[in-house]
């Protein structure tokens, strides 16, 4: 290649226009990435999370929406003193600095009293075990009611004087009364046993039971049987056998 041809291509306007276009695209990409990331991550935004506890769900949703935040329900609870749909807890502590678009998860108050299932404790555990399990689940347990039966054994559970069974759902505010055995036998369960008196009869040669309440039959004394044994008279003809000499 001649020197004149080489310099002619280097100083060609088309080549410099292509280089300028590449430089512009590179600069544009750098600025685009920088400002695009800042826009996507909300760089520089500072939003303080408002306190929405004890507010209704509708009011809390409006407050967070005006702040650029979102709200979502994560669970429900129950507090008797608060109205239904009231915010009990929020996932982000009030006053925390976040960026717009952040989701705040809340726990709302249930509209009805929650229920719990009675565990398998009736006729299957002692009073101490049953009471500990029920209280650990959140039930309210009152004073026990003692009934006739094995001591400290659970025979039933009452709610408002009505028996409930294992697996039955009961309100968490209900007072449970556990029926416990007192270890004593009641008068209705007592058993009186009378030992029978046996009488021998000659007719069937068997023993016939006779209770003490029956009057005994009169017995007739039998005359003693005569002995027909005749003594053998002694005789003098008996001769002793002589002993053999060794």
């Amino acid at each position: 290649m001649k020197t004149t041809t080489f310099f002619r291509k280097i100083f060609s306007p088309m080549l410099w226009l292509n280089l300028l276009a590449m430089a512009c695209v590179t600069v544009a990409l750098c600025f685009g990435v920088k400002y695009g990331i800042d826009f996507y991550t909300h760089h520089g935004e500072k939003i303080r999370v408002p306190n929405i506890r004890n507010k209704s769900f509708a009011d809390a949703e409006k407050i967070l929406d005006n702040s650029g935040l979102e709200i979502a329900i994560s669970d429900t609870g129950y507090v008797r003193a608060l109205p239904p749909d009231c915010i009990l807890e929020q996932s982000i502590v009030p006053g925390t600095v976040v960026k717009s678009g952040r989701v705040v998860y809340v726990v709302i108050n249930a509209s009805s009293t929650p229920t719990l299932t009675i565990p398998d404790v009736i006729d299957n555990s002692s009073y101490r075990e049953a009471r500990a399990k029920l209280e650990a689940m959140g039930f309210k347990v009152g004073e026990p009611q003692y009934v006739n039966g094995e001591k400290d054994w659970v025979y039933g559970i009452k709610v408002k004087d009505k028996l409930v069974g294992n697996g039955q759902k009961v309100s968490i505010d209900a007072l449970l009364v556990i029926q416990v055995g007192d270890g004593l036998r009641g008068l209705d369960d007592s058993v009186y046993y009378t030992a029978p008196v046996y009488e021998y009869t000659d007719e069937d040669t068997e023993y016939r039971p006779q209770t003490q309440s029956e009057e005994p039959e009169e017995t007739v004394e039998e005359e003693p049987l005569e002995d027909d044994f005749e003594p053998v008279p002694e005789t003098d003809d008996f001769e002793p056998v002589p002993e053999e000499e060794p």
Side-chain angles (χ1 to χ4, degrees):
M1 179 182 294
K2 295 181 179 181
T3 304
T4 55
T5 305
F6 176 74
F7 282 102
R8 190 183 302 116
K9 289 184 177 180
I10 290 179
F11 292 102
S12 172
M14 186 62 66
L15 177 61
W16 288 103
L17 288 175
N18 290 335
L19 293 175
L20 182 61
M22 292 175 62
C24 292
V25 170
T26 302
V27 173
L29 286 175
C30 292
F31 278 96
V33 171
K34 179 181 183 301
Y35 289 104
I37 292 176
D38 291 343
F39 176 79
Y40 180 76
T41 58
H42 303 282
H43 181 70
E45 291 184 355
K46 294 182 178 180
I47 300 175
R48 293 190 178 274
V49 178
N51 186 7
I52 57 175
R53 294 174 181 171
N54 298 335
K55 298 184 180 298
S56 66
F57 181 79
D59 294 341
E61 189 175 16
K62 291 179 181 178
I63 294 172
L64 293 179
D65 186 58
N66 294 334
S67 301
L69 303 175
E70 299 180 5
I71 187 172
I73 300 174
S74 62
D75 200 358
T76 58
Y78 181 74
V79 177
R80 180 185 292 274
L82 296 178
D85 294 335
C86 179
I87 305 298
L88 301 178
E89 294 292 339
Q90 59 184 95
S91 61
I92 304 177
V93 179
T96 304
V97 177
V98 297
K99 298 176 182 179
S100 63
R102 186 71 178 271
V103 179
V104 180
Y105 294 94
V106 297
V107 178
I108 64 173
N109 196 26
S111 58
S112 59
T113 306
T115 58
L116 296 175
T117 302
I118 298 293
D120 187 14
V121 295
I122 300 176
D123 201 20
N124 194 33
S125 62
S126 65
Y127 170 69
R128 181 178 298 178
E129 295 173 347
R131 187 184 184 95
K133 184 178 292 186
L134 292 172
E135 290 180 345
M137 293 178 62
F139 283 110
K140 297 179 181 179
V141 182
E143 293 296 325
Q145 178 185 5
Y146 291 96
V147 296
N148 294 332
E150 185 178 349
K151 186 177 181 180
D152 292 337
W153 189 251
V154 176
Y155 287 95
I157 296 177
K158 278 188 174 183
V159 176
K160 296 180 180 180
D161 294 332
K162 293 183 180 180
L163 289 174
V164 296
N166 294 331
Q168 186 172 343
K169 291 186 176 297
V170 178
S171 173
I172 194 173
D173 290 337
L175 184 65
L176 305 186
V177 178
I178 303 176
Q179 292 183 326
V180 187
D182 55 7
L184 301 176
R185 184 183 295 275
L187 296 176
D188 296 338
D189 299 332
S190 300
V191 177
Y192 297 94
Y193 177 75
T194 303
V197 177
Y198 292 96
E199 179 186 3
Y200 180 75
T201 60
D202 294 335
E203 296 178 356
D204 50 7
T205 64
E206 294 182 357
Y207 286 98
R208 180 172 62 87
Q210 178 185 6
T211 59
Q212 292 181 351
S213 59
E214 297 179 358
E215 296 182 358
E217 297 180 357
E218 297 181 359
T219 56
V220 179
E221 296 182 358
E222 298 181 355
E223 297 179 358
L225 299 177
E226 296 181 359
D227 191 0
D228 297 336
F229 176 76
E230 295 181 0
V232 179
E234 296 182 359
T235 59
D236 297 334
D237 298 335
F238 176 75
E239 295 181 1
V241 178
E243 297 182 358
E244 297 180 359
E245 295 180 2

